[in-house]
Structures are given as structure tokens and as C-alpha cells.
Amino acid sequence: MNKQEAIILEEKKVLCIGGANVDRKIQALKHLEYGTSNPALSLKSRGGVARNVAENSGRLGLKTALLAIIGADSEGEWLLQNTKNFVDLNLTELIHGKSTGTYTAVLDIDGKMAVALADMAIYDEVDEFFFEKNLSHIQNAKMILLDTNFPAKVINKVINSCKNTGVPICVATVSAPKTAKLPASLEGVTWLIANHKEAEALAKLEINSEGDFYRAAEVILKKGVERVVITREEQGLIYFTNQGDAGALVPPCVPIMDVTGADDALIAGILFGYLNGLSTEDSCKIGLSCSLITLQTSETVNPDLNQQKLLETFQIYFSKGISYP
Ligand SMILES: Nc1ncnc2c1ncn2[C@@H]1O[C@H](COP(=O)(O)OP(=O)(O)OP(=O)(O)O)[C@@H](O)[C@H]1O
Ligand SMILES: O=c1[nH]cc([C@@H]2O[C@H](CO)[C@@H](O)[C@H]2O)c(=O)[nH]1
């Protein structure tokens, strides 16, 4: 049996492509005062959008692999050790002479991010050769999750491959500046998940009202996306599909420790619902349940997440009228 046949025989996986970072979070102990020193508490956590979605998905029981690059340094080793129990890391490469990506966020007393810095020069090392080398895995995935950490050329090639093969793909926009790396045509994209600022950047319009959220979603759909989700912090999210389904979902109020990673948990939950045959609305409710679980921990991925916890949270807040898979 050659390598190609072995890949096809293997159980298909959700392949997450993009960032794997070390997160450094500094939580203010009182309301932040700018231009002076603030008392704070520091925390190091596993991060990177693709890695976070992969870990959350793995914890939910989906067979998941990560296509990422990390530095051949102690931070990279720490990341591998803390990811390998949930995610197949065979495709994740160690790069000598480059530092593992870091994300440093300053959080206000309420757990909301005040400012964050992304030191991720390592992702510039990802080139078309890296894509070609991994093409058979991309073509044979059950589903692709693609974030916008890698260079535009690579992002473009992954989206094109999915368009040509019909492998479903979910794009996570990551940040407003990185949204600019996405191609003008998003044909072949099954899900696109963006926050308020990322949706503004992608749709090239300001979102100031309820109607503006739907206007932005419509512009994004016109680029060829099948389903778009725009998240909006405590107001939850709106979804809009090219089949004409649309709606707004508002989560319940829960005590918040740290918002970092709530979006990545939401994406993993949406993928879990979608791959289990749920509707767009119900997949989004599963996603919201996962983000509620993440908001209540200071870790970027809640180590207590599992299918049982998801089911309990989902039933408490959203069970009415849904047939859970
Ligand atoms: N304050 C909050 N209260 C309740 N839910 C929240 C809150 N903040 C975020 N969420 C949940 O997390 C989801 C994603 O949050 P948000 O819109 O802030 O995206 P994001 O900025 O990409 O998130 P992240 O901070 O994880 O990068 C929301 O759709 C919502 O379900
Ligand atoms: O440019 C980026 N900023 C932030 C992240 C990651 O987002 C996560 C929170 O949603 C966090 O873990 C950070 O590493 C990234 O991968 N790229």
C-alpha cells in the first residue's frame, strides 16, 4: 500500500490549518488606567486559532489533525506536549531558527481584551511548497478549518482546492488586518465566521445597527460563501445562508473569566453540529454552548470541555425544539 492509499483508507479527519501560538494574557486586577502601571496577574496558555479549534474539536470527540508550524524551541515543545492528547500532530512541523508564534493580550478587569499583540513572523515561512507537500491530506480531509495566519497565497490555494474537490471548508477570519489576506472570491467556502470588526473589514462597510450586520453578511455571501456567521460579543451572533435562512441568537448572561478563545470554541461547536447533520441554526446553538463553557475559564481552551459538558450546557440554555444528534 502506498502513502496515498494509506491516507484514503485512514478515517477522515477535520484538518485545522493555521496558527499554533503561545498565549500570554495579563489580566488587570482593577479597571485599566492608560499611561501608568496597573496591578495585574499573568497567565500562559495554549493558543492559535487553528490549534484552539483543533483542541476543542478533539475534546468534543471529532477526529482532528493540525497542519501548523511552530518553532523548534521550548515554547513549541510545550505546545506539542499540551496538544497531542486531542489532536493528530503528524503534519505539524518544527522550524529551526524561528520562534513559536506568540499572542500577548491585556485584559481589563471584566475579562475583555483591551489590546493584543501578535508576534507571528514564523508564519511567513509557510510557502506554496508547504501546500503542495500536504495537498493529499487537504484533498482527503473530512472538513477543513482554515484561519488567516498563513500567507495569502497559501490561503488562496487551500480555498481553491476545497472548491475543486468539494471538501467542506470553514474560514476563521482571526483579526481585522489578517482578513485582507482572503481572496475576493470566496466560492467553495462552506462557513465563514467573523467578529464585528472582521466582518466590517471583509464587507468594507461600517456596522452600526442591527440592519448593518445583515447588510455585511449579504456582501460576504455575495463573495460565494454558503453560510456566514458574525459574532457580536454578549449579543451572540447572527447567521445568514445562501439558501435564505437567517437569524440572531443571543446567549444567556454568565460570569466571564476571560473572553480569549470564546470564538474558537464557538467554531468547534459549529463544526461539531454541522458534521453531525444539524441545521445552521442548531449548529450555531451548539457553538454558543461551547463558547459559554470557554468564557468561564481563564484558559484559552477550557480543559473541562467534553461532549457530556456540551450536552448539559446545551440542554440548559438551548434544548427547546432541537433534536440533538
Ligand atoms: N461578554 C460576553 N457574554 C456572553 N457571550 C460572549 C461574550 N463575549 C463573547 N461571547 C461569546 O463568544 C462569541 C465570540 O465572541 P466575539 O464576538 O467577541 O468574537 P471574537 O472577538 O472573535 O472572540 P475572541 O475574543 O475569542 O477572539 C460570541 O458570539 C458569544 O457567543
Ligand atoms: O493574529 C492572530 N491573533 C490571535 C490569534 C489567536 O487567537 C486566539 C483567540 O481567539 C488566541 O489563542 C491567539 O493565539 C491568532 O492565531 N492569530
Side-chain angles (χ1 to χ4, degrees), residues 58 90 207:
N90 281 321
I207 301 177

Side-chain angles (χ1 to χ4, degrees), residues 10 13 64-67 83-84 86-92:
E10 214 181 296
K13 293 188 174 120
T64 309
L66 179 66
L67 183 52
T83 307
K84 66 177 188 193
F86 308 96
V87 180
D88 175 350
L89 295 174
N90 281 321
L91 299 178
T92 293

Side-chain angles (χ1 to χ4, degrees), residues 103 112-113 174 194-196 198 230-237 251-254 256 259-264 266 288 291-292 295:
Y103 170 79
K112 288 192 180 173
M113 187 249 283
V174 174
N195 72 10
H196 181 150
E198 294 149 13
I230 306 179
T231 64
R232 38 189 204 172
E233 302 182 348
E234 62 273 9
Q235 285 175 288
L237 58 82
C253 222
V254 295
I256 295 169
V259 294
T260 319
D263 192 35
D264 308 331
L266 176 105
L288 286 175
S291 67
L292 286 171
L295 287 166

